[in-house]
Amino acid sequence: MVGRRSARWALVALVAAVACAVPSVVASLPVGGGRLGAVQLRAKIEASAAQPYSGFARTQAELGLPDLPAVGDVTSLLSGTTNIRVWYQTPDDNRVDVIDTVGERDVYQTPGGQFTWDYGTGLLTKILGAEPVRLPRAGDLLPPDLARRILAMDPVDRPLALPPRRIAGLAAEGLRLRPTDPETTVGQVDIWADPITGLPLRVEVTARGATTPLITSQFVSVDRGSPDVSALRPPDAGGQLATAQAPDIVSAIAGFSRARLPRELAHYLLQPQLPGLPGVGRYGAGLATFVVLPLPGNIGRPAIEAATKAGATDVLVSRGRAVLIGIPLLGVLIGQVGRRTYLVAGFVSHGVLQEAANELSIGRLRSR
């Protein structure tokens, strides 16, 4: 049951995988040097995945994510402050520690596989199997990952230059994405990065109509060199190594989907297939994007009941029943018509989600 619940909310969490913030104690120091244009800075950020670094970051998210089943860690990440220590050599060789009042939990991504370490219990666990799709974790909230993910989502809006500022002791240059589609819930995304390496240092995500960011992520300290190799290796567990199987969310999604999605929903066109996510439909462009996932009928009622307990409200559809979880930036809707169930989620207005759900309820979701 836990596996099904995790799969059920995986798409919700992935769409929601953004976060964090911290005030800079040196932001008022003078910033000198030349300036890159916003387009050139964006290109450097997008190409920065090979840049090694280490440091300490603090993220803050105020999304108000409800307490969803089996994803309590995700709720904490997206509804509060997270302190993160990181050592990064490459995407396949890095370490991320989450530090809180009760200790720390570490994730080691090594060429030989992924390991987790719980400092409090002294438990080292090796994760077996690949994770092409997974729930978000602290590393996704670091400024470099968060910035690159957002830029990859929005290839359509031209960036604007922001005034430079000093972040973690470095002179950073900035850019702003301001989506032009009026139906997106994202008002603007501000990113500051090191102009030499393209390494993102601070990210702010502000909802449409808001004046302060709901998501902020910033380095407090950072080193742009290669980290110590010893910091990238899991600790010696004294022969006590546990194992855990990575959840096969992709297979679960593929097994769920037995439907053909329409070419258009709520006036948004179906986009090319999402890599690694068979059966999931993506509609819209840039940050005005939502996804549709057909679900097996037998989990429709439990999913709706779980969402209702988490604070979802009923919305009007022509047939069946649908409920909406509305939080800042993100909307999640679950609908059921007879034996057909579907999930609709994304960075678009509740009106768009409801229109899409209504079209699905009247038969635009057909069996293959």
Side-chain angles (χ1 to χ4, degrees):
M1 178 61 75
V2 172
R4 282 193 174 183
R5 287 179 176 176
S6 296
R8 181 184 306 155
W9 295 109
L11 260 292
V12 179
L14 286 172
V15 174
V18 284
C20 322
V22 71
S24 175
V25 295
V26 292
S28 60
L29 294 179
V31 179
R35 296 290 308 280
L36 286 178
V39 174
Q40 291 87 347
L41 182 62
R42 175 176 185 153
K44 283 210 166 195
I45 292 172
E46 291 174 329
S48 66
Q51 172 62 40
Y53 65 91
S54 58
F56 181 83
R58 186 169 296 130
T59 70
Q60 185 170 334
E62 302 298 339
L63 298 189
L65 191 68
D67 187 15
L68 300 176
V71 290
D73 288 345
V74 175
T75 301
S76 298
L77 285 174
L78 301 182
S79 302
T81 300
T82 305
N83 294 313
I84 307 171
R85 189 168 54 202
V86 57
W87 295 262
Y88 179 95
Q89 183 63 38
T90 68
D92 296 323
D93 195 9
N94 57 77
R95 168 186 168 186
V96 176
D97 298 356
V98 174
I99 305 167
D100 56 30
T101 55
V102 298
E104 68 178 64
R105 297 175 304 281
D106 309 343
V107 176
Y108 293 81
Q109 182 64 56
T110 76
Q114 183 185 120
F115 298 81
T116 63
W117 167 256
D118 189 308
Y119 182 84
T121 62
L123 179 63
L124 180 66
T125 303
K126 182 174 184 178
I127 307 301
L128 305 177
E131 289 185 299
V133 179
R134 56 171 173 76
L135 296 174
R137 53 188 179 223
D140 302 323
L141 309 183
L142 290 165
D145 277 56
L146 182 56
R148 288 192 292 262
R149 287 172 186 271
I150 291 174
L151 292 179
M153 285 181 63
D154 187 14
V156 298
D157 292 308
R158 185 175 179 84
L160 307 173
L162 290 174
R165 60 192 304 180
R166 189 167 293 275
I167 299 171
L170 299 178
E173 296 187 11
L175 63 82
R176 170 171 292 170
L177 284 179
R178 184 171 284 162
T180 54
D181 191 319
E183 292 296 346
T184 179
T185 55
V186 179
Q188 64 189 39
V189 178
D190 294 343
I191 301 171
W192 283 269
D194 170 29
I196 299 173
T197 63
L199 182 68
L201 302 172
R202 180 180 173 95
V203 181
E204 298 178 355
V205 182
T206 303
R208 185 175 294 276
T211 56
T212 57
L214 289 176
I215 299 169
T216 312
S217 178
Q218 178 177 307
F219 279 113
V220 176
S221 62
V222 67
D223 185 324
R224 292 167 290 180
S226 292
D228 190 326
V229 174
S230 63
L232 297 171
R233 298 297 168 255
D236 184 358
Q240 300 299 314
L241 177 64
T243 59
Q245 189 69 43
D248 191 356
I249 296 176
V250 169
S251 294
I253 291 173
F256 288 172
S257 179
R258 293 291 183 269
R260 183 174 66 251
L261 293 167
R263 296 182 60 184
E264 182 178 338
L265 276 178
H267 308 292
Y268 286 88
L269 295 177
L270 179 66
Q271 300 300 314
Q273 177 68 56
L274 285 164
L277 289 178
V280 178
R282 176 172 60 98
Y283 293 82
L287 290 172
T289 300
F290 63 94
V291 296
V292 176
L293 171 62
L295 301 175
N298 63 341
I299 75 166
R301 185 181 298 276
I304 289 177
E305 290 176 353
T308 301
K309 290 179 180 178
T313 57
D314 282 272
V315 297
L316 182 63
V317 289
S318 296
R319 296 177 57 205
R321 184 188 178 194
V323 297
L324 173 72
I325 299 176
I327 60 176
L329 291 178
L330 178 68
V332 181
L333 188 147
I334 303 171
Q336 185 176 31
V337 182
R339 300 176 65 180
R340 293 185 292 112
T341 305
Y342 51 88
L343 181 147
V344 186
F347 299 107
V348 291
S349 69
H350 295 171
V352 170
L353 295 179
Q354 184 172 349
E355 184 176 352
N358 189 60
E359 292 177 10
L360 292 171
S361 79
I362 59 178
R364 298 196 64 183
L365 184 64
R366 303 188 184 281
S367 299
R368 292 183 184 276

